[in-house]
């Protein structure tokens, strides 16, 4: 049988503080209540964090990966908000875009596609067409991507007048210039992984062949593979076309005619294919970018 301390040792003495030490008594505890740590407001909609705003302050991002997901979420009829974050370090992957859901999940990359499928919202092809679509997506994400990166980051006029300001214009000088230079160097190393040397004519020639293949596949149809509604392949191709065609052109007097010509090569290549231009306009109009 256990005994209490009082039973074992008797009642412990009680010390009474003198009146002049009364203030030491903890009459009210806690002594001070601090306000709760700030909690951000709960999201009302699933929210996509992107680089933005787009060209001419438009809704669509100037970044191809961001725009691909923006337009695909629209295609899938998902109601969502966007935040022009411009801060890739805010993403769990260290890159934009990422999606924050109303349930508290933070998704990026393939996780977003899985989330779309789990919510029965995916728009996809089937059978042989699905396999062929993968080939065209790869074509766009290699040849058109290389051309876009060269167009944005290695064409001197586009880099200094457009791209560096779009990605880092929200940061103060000279941080803006340092971050832009670092991004340019990373882009150069990325392109060199598939090229011995970076030659403008070769990169744009590869893009031209890709554009021709895409133009032939699209034909006179509204969407690729004559689908009744756009799918992921449409989101991918549209993003490249829209960003390149919509890129602002610098025309100040300090730019030489040769620099202007070089900065316009890629958009002019796309404009050669009338059906691709009409296609980009149609997607833009139908999904209210």
């Amino acid at each position: 049988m256990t005994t209490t301390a009082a039973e074992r040792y008797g009642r412990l003495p009680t010390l009474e503080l003198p009146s002049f030490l009364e203030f030491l008594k903890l009459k009210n505890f806690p002594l001070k209540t601090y306000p709760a740590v700030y909690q951000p407001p709960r999201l009302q909609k699933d929210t996509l964090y992107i680089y933005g705003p787009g060209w001419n302050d438009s809704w669509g991002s100037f970044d191809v990966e961001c725009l691909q997901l923006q337009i695909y979420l629209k295609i899938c009829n998902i109601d969502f908000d966007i935040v022009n974050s411009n801060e890739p370090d805010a993403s769990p992957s260290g890159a934009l875009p990422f999606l924050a859901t109303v349930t508290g999940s933070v998704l990026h990359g393939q996780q977003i596609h899985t989330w779309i499928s789990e919510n029965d919202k995916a728009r996809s092809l089937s059978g042989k067409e699905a396999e062929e679509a993968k080939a065209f997506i790869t074509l766009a994400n290699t040849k058109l991507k290389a051309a876009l990166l060269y167009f944005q980051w290695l064409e001197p006029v586009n880099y200094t007048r457009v791209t560096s300001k779009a990605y880092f214009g929200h940061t103060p000088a000279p941080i803006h210039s340092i971050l832009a230079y670092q991004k340019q160097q990373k882009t150069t190393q990325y392109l060199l992984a598939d090229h011995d040397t970076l030659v403008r004519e070769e990169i744009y020639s590869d893009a031209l062949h890709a554009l021709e293949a895409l133009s032939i596949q699209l034909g006179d149809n509204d969407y690729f593979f004559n689908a009744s509604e756009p799918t992921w392949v449409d989101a991918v191709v549209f993003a490249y076309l829209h960003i390149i065609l919509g890129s602002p052109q610098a025309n100040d007097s300090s730019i030489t005619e040769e620099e202007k010509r070089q900065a316009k090569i890629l958009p002019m290549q796309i404009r050669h294919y009338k059906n691709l231009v009409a296609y980009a306009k149609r997607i833009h109009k139908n999904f209210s970018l």
Side-chain angles (χ1 to χ4, degrees), residues 170-182:
H170 63 288
T171 60
I175 303 301
H176 157 270
S177 299
I178 295 172
L179 293 175
Y181 175 77
Q182 291 176 340

Side-chain angles (χ1 to χ4, degrees), residues 9-270:
Y9 302 110
R11 186 175 179 83
L12 296 176
T14 301
L15 297 178
E16 293 291 335
L17 288 174
S19 59
F20 66 90
L21 294 179
E22 189 74 14
F23 70 93
L24 291 177
K25 291 184 177 181
L26 300 180
K27 295 181 178 180
N28 297 309
F29 190 83
L31 299 178
K32 181 176 177 61
T33 301
Y34 290 92
V37 176
Y38 171 75
Q39 293 291 333
R42 187 177 182 86
L43 293 176
Q44 300 302 307
K45 292 182 182 180
D46 303 313
T47 301
L48 188 68
Y49 290 75
I50 63 168
Y51 285 107
W55 306 136
N56 301 315
D57 291 326
S58 62
W59 180 85
S61 177
F62 54 79
D63 178 85
V64 72
E65 281 82 11
C66 291
L67 184 56
Q68 286 172 356
L69 274 172
Q70 271 186 281
I71 187 62
Y72 189 54
L73 289 172
K74 279 277 192 176
I75 288 170
C76 295
N77 198 30
I78 294 173
D79 188 21
F80 67 102
D81 284 334
I82 60 168
V83 171
N84 296 320
S85 168
N86 298 309
E87 294 294 345
D89 289 338
S91 169
S93 67
L96 296 175
F98 70 91
L99 181 72
T101 70
V102 293
T103 60
S105 299
V106 179
L107 312 172
H108 58 90
Q110 186 57 42
Q111 294 173 347
I112 299 176
H113 288 273
T114 301
W115 175 82
I116 294 171
S117 297
E118 289 175 348
N119 284 277
D120 296 323
K121 295 285 189 177
R123 300 291 187 270
S124 58
L125 300 165
S126 59
K128 180 182 177 181
E129 290 179 343
E131 293 303 314
E132 291 181 2
K134 290 179 182 179
F136 280 94
I137 290 170
T138 300
L139 181 68
N141 282 335
T142 52
K143 303 306 182 183
L144 290 188
K145 183 175 183 177
L148 173 63
L149 290 176
Y150 192 98
F151 171 77
Q152 288 185 320
W153 293 99
L154 299 182
E155 289 291 2
V157 171
N158 293 339
Y159 168 70
T160 57
R161 303 299 204 283
V162 180
T163 309
S164 63
K165 293 179 180 179
Y167 278 89
F168 301 109
H170 63 288
T171 60
I175 303 301
H176 157 270
S177 299
I178 295 172
L179 293 175
Y181 175 77
Q182 291 176 340
K183 177 68 173 179
Q184 185 189 55
Q185 295 305 300
K186 288 181 180 179
T187 300
T188 301
Q189 293 305 312
Y190 174 86
L191 291 173
L192 284 172
D194 292 320
H195 301 81
D196 293 331
T197 57
L198 300 180
V199 180
R200 175 187 290 107
E201 291 75 16
E202 291 180 4
I203 291 175
Y204 288 163
S205 177
D206 287 345
L208 186 62
H209 292 313
L211 290 168
E212 182 176 8
L214 290 167
S215 176
I216 292 171
Q217 210 306 308
L218 179 64
D220 295 327
N221 301 316
D222 286 344
Y223 308 116
F224 280 96
F225 297 96
N226 196 23
S228 59
E229 58 185 3
T231 61
W232 175 238
V233 64
D234 294 283
V236 170
V237 175
F238 167 79
Y240 286 107
L241 300 178
H242 180 77
I243 289 173
I244 295 168
L245 290 172
S247 180
Q249 297 181 1
N251 292 307
D252 59 81
S253 58
S254 64
I255 304 173
T256 67
E257 290 302 315
E258 178 60 17
E259 287 174 327
K260 291 179 182 178
R261 185 194 68 79
Q262 292 170 350
K264 296 177 181 178
I265 292 175
L266 191 56
M268 292 302 295
Q269 286 182 338
I270 294 176

